Amino acid sequence: MSFDYKVRDLSLAEAGRHQIRLAEHEMPGLMALREEFGAQQPLKGARIAGSLHMTVQTAVLIETLTALGADVRWASCNIFSTQDEAAAAIVVGKGTPEDPQGVPVFAWKGESLPEYWWCTEQILSWPGQDGPNMILDDGGDATLLVHKGVEFEAAGAVPATDENDSAEYRVILDVLRASLEKDPQRFTKMAAGILGVTEETTTGVHRLYEFAQTGDLLFPAINVNDSVTKSKFDNKYGTRHSLIDGINRATDTLMGGKVAVVLGYGDVGKGCAESLRGQGARVVITEIDPICALQAAMDGFQVTTLEDVVETADIFITATGNKDIITAADMARMKHQAIVGNIGHFDNEIDMAGLERDTTIEKVEIKPQVHEWRFADGHSVIVLSEGRLLNLGNATGHPSFVMSNSFANQTIAQIELFTKNDDYAKQVYVLPKILDEKVARLHLDALGVKLTQLSKDQAEYIGVDVAGPYKPEHYRY
Ligand code: NAI
């Protein structure tokens, strides 16, 4: 069997396979779905283009999708987040590095932006087909490429770049321009065959609702992020683990006694704040939403503006999913060797472009994904992962057990959209609560949790079914 792929080094496959084997034990949700659906093969005929951090945990997801019958092509959704050994193991599969027999992966740690978008394009290119018939996305880049492709094909041309366009958007336009020249209907034909997308994260979901609101969404979408067993677990308990892992591996700085600012107190901000407090840091929160600000205050954190602490704090972590949160001018005022990192999906939370534009600021590489930016007055700040999500750039992202919850939702959402496609319009849906509860249930035994059994009488009294769902849709957990 021969197939196309591009990863760092296939000789890393054995190391990757060992880690995948250990991760499988920590991912009971995914393994239970293999058990439940393996014989049935519900994803037979699915051609899934996956764009999601190519980590060890994602490797277990990929092999779950293929165990359920899917054909898969995979890229990472971030230039720094690939674990090269996991990528190698997935390509090698049951074969050897000399004779790989696994899944086409296009991902390596430290891609350039043109390489990143080339990889994204590869997962949409299916030999002998117009494209995938399913997308599994994290942050929406694969979905974006298809939507922009269709938009420009309808217009007959890709717009000229504008001086305000980011470097990344210019790369996307270049990719689409080349594609349009080769086949002016490529993305239009591809989109017609796509049954749907399942989206992993807050930022990608935000894009999907925008497409749906303007009537531009080209296929049905399941918002996996807003399954309770995703955003209230991965975003919170996942970051609680991986934020400080990233800071430690990058800087090895002692966090106890330091002042750490978490910008944004949503699900991710809550996990970050808790972990920094656990290290003994004095944590300060910034928020724009009065409800989240009040939550932070009642959780015992000082809530103030960046302006108040920019000159005195030691560590700054952005977790907003918004842009322009820390500017180059803010960094110019920070303490010497303040640490600045982002854990939100995109790199526009920290003004990296502003740092790069200013020729009086010098960039020194301490090690890959750790840079000191020296200002003309002699002070410097340490920026992690060039402003991209530091828990995946400087560490290995969330641990397996929490990702088993997220990826069980992904797998169920893929089965749902692929097998019951007629039930879904070009809108954004969340999974039914009963499936959300099922995902949680799959993870209880491993933690020794004993669930109390609701009696029929009690169930009637609170107006639910004995078998669930146990909460109304508006319940917030
Ligand atoms: P969320 O919407 O729950 O929280 C974001 C919070 O930031 C909100 O409370 C919002 O009011 C606040 N905010 C917005 N603008 C702000 C500003 N200018 N200053 C201060 N606060 C501001 O979103 P969630 O789920 O916490 O996700 C945040 C980001 O993290 C998203 O980009 C998401 O995609 C990403 N994410 C990253 C993960 C990782 O492993 N690195 C895991 C999960 C999500």
Side-chain angles (χ1 to χ4, degrees):
M1 183 165 65
S2 96
F3 57 90
D4 53 339
Y5 62 85
K6 190 163 166 48
V7 298
R8 172 80 61 208
D9 178 0
L10 287 189
S11 74
L12 299 170
E14 191 183 347
R17 184 51 59 189
H18 284 310
Q19 292 187 55
I20 291 169
R21 196 165 42 76
L22 298 193
E24 285 172 352
H25 180 68
E26 278 284 289
M27 301 188 88
L30 286 182
M31 300 315 275
L33 292 174
R34 287 190 198 179
E35 190 71 27
E36 180 179 349
F37 292 110
Q40 223 174 298
Q41 297 282 289
L43 293 177
K44 196 159 185 53
R47 297 188 303 279
I48 302 173
S51 167
L52 194 153
H53 310 292
M54 185 54 251
T55 62
V56 166
Q57 293 70 32
T58 302
V60 183
L61 168 63
I62 293 172
E63 292 187 341
T64 302
L65 297 171
T66 56
L68 305 196
D71 281 334
V72 175
R73 291 170 80 80
W74 212 269
S76 199
C77 63
N78 182 280
I79 59 174
F80 294 134
S81 64
T82 297
Q83 282 174 264
D84 289 320
E85 66 278 21
I90 287 300
V91 170
V92 167
K94 291 193 164 61
T96 61
E98 295 70 38
D99 177 25
Q101 294 185 13
V103 165
V105 175
F106 303 86
W108 56 95
K109 191 174 181 75
E111 296 160 3
S112 67
L113 283 176
E115 286 167 344
Y116 172 81
W117 284 97
W118 176 84
C119 291
T120 307
E121 208 190 350
Q122 297 315 302
I123 63 167
L124 298 171
S125 309
W126 288 71
Q129 301 278 352
D130 286 336
N133 55 14
M134 295 291 295
I135 296 178
L136 191 158
D137 225 349
D138 182 349
D141 279 351
T143 305
L144 179 82
L145 198 62
V146 176
H147 278 73
K148 285 282 164 203
V150 170
E151 180 189 329
F152 299 151
E153 284 172 7
V158 175
T161 38
D162 180 300
E163 60 186 31
N164 298 322
D165 290 338
S166 67
E168 182 147 17
Y169 192 58
R170 285 160 193 266
V171 173
I172 298 173
L173 293 184
D174 286 346
V175 166
L176 291 174
R177 204 170 287 114
S179 161
L180 203 81
E181 271 167 27
K182 264 207 296 215
D183 179 353
Q185 288 295 298
R186 174 181 174 207
F187 284 98
T188 310
K189 284 182 280 181
M190 185 191 301
I194 296 177
L195 299 172
V197 55
T198 60
E199 168 57 52
E200 175 81 2
T201 199
T202 318
T203 287
V205 160
H206 183 72
R207 281 182 175 177
L208 287 173
Y209 282 109
E210 278 181 349
F211 280 135
Q213 255 156 27
T214 54
D216 293 322
L217 188 63
L218 295 169
F219 30 75
I222 291 186
N223 162 2
V224 168
N225 182 67
D226 286 294
S227 286
V228 179
T229 47
K230 199 285 181 179
S231 50
K232 299 293 170 189
F233 289 79
D234 161 330
N235 302 25
K236 184 179 176 191
Y237 305 119
T239 51
R240 186 178 70 178
H241 170 103
S242 60
L243 169 72
I244 57 168
D245 189 10
I247 298 174
N248 276 327
R249 292 200 212 191
T251 68
D252 203 18
T253 195
L254 184 81
M255 288 172 243
K258 302 277 174 60
V259 176
V261 186
V262 175
L263 299 105
Y265 199 68
D267 292 320
V268 170
K270 288 179 175 71
C272 294
E274 195 183 333
S275 66
L276 288 161
R277 174 151 68 186
Q279 291 295 304
R282 283 193 290 132
V283 180
V284 176
I285 305 293
T286 76
E287 251 297 342
I288 49 127
D289 179 336
I291 297 177
C292 299
L294 188 62
Q295 276 183 314
M298 291 206 183
D299 284 340
F301 298 109
Q302 181 190 352
V303 183
T304 188
T305 59
L306 176 61
E307 176 61 27
D308 267 8
V309 285
V310 70
E311 291 175 356
T312 49
D314 304 281
I315 300 168
F316 298 84
I317 304 297
T318 54
T320 67
N322 201 347
K323 62 173 189 166
D324 304 334
I325 302 302
I326 296 180
T327 64
D330 293 326
M331 289 183 269
R333 296 169 58 200
M334 287 177 183
K335 260 165 89 165
H336 183 48
Q337 288 192 8
I339 295 168
V340 179
N342 165 47
I343 196 159
H345 192 79
F346 284 123
D347 62 339
N348 53 356
E349 301 209 21
I350 300 170
D351 182 16
M352 298 307 297
L355 286 180
E356 265 147 34
R357 246 191 331 263
D358 187 336
T359 51
T360 67
I361 312 173
E362 191 192 350
K363 179 182 180 186
V364 180
E365 177 156 292
I366 306 298
K367 59 182 179 183
Q369 286 90 55
V370 181
H371 293 92
E372 182 185 16
W373 290 83
R374 281 193 199 139
F375 289 76
D377 66 358
H379 93 287
S380 62
V381 297
I382 298 165
V383 180
L384 308 185
S385 285
E386 306 195 13
R388 294 170 194 274
L389 18 80
L390 78 97
N391 60 328
L392 282 135
N394 298 95
T396 51
H398 298 352
S400 302
F401 196 79
V402 85
M403 293 315 292
S404 177
N405 287 269
S406 307
F407 290 166
N409 278 293
Q410 276 288 5
T411 305
I412 291 171
Q414 285 283 323
I415 296 173
E416 194 60 25
L417 269 187
F418 185 68
T419 59
K420 301 188 193 146
N421 203 252
D422 291 344
D423 296 353
Y424 292 92
K426 291 175 185 171
Q427 292 296 332
V428 187
Y429 299 86
V430 288
L431 284 175
K433 194 171 287 293
I434 194 82
L435 294 178
D436 214 345
E437 290 175 355
K438 172 179 173 169
V439 171
R441 216 181 271 281
L442 293 175
H443 293 87
L444 297 181
D445 277 356
L447 299 179
V449 173
K450 285 189 189 162
L451 206 57
T452 299
Q453 181 66 45
L454 190 63
S455 73
K456 196 164 177 304
D457 230 26
Q458 287 175 319
E460 274 168 20
Y461 185 70
I462 60 170
V464 302
D465 196 283
V466 169
Y470 301 103
K471 297 286 195 295
E473 282 308 318
H474 59 258
Y475 187 78
R476 291 197 173 86
Y477 298 87

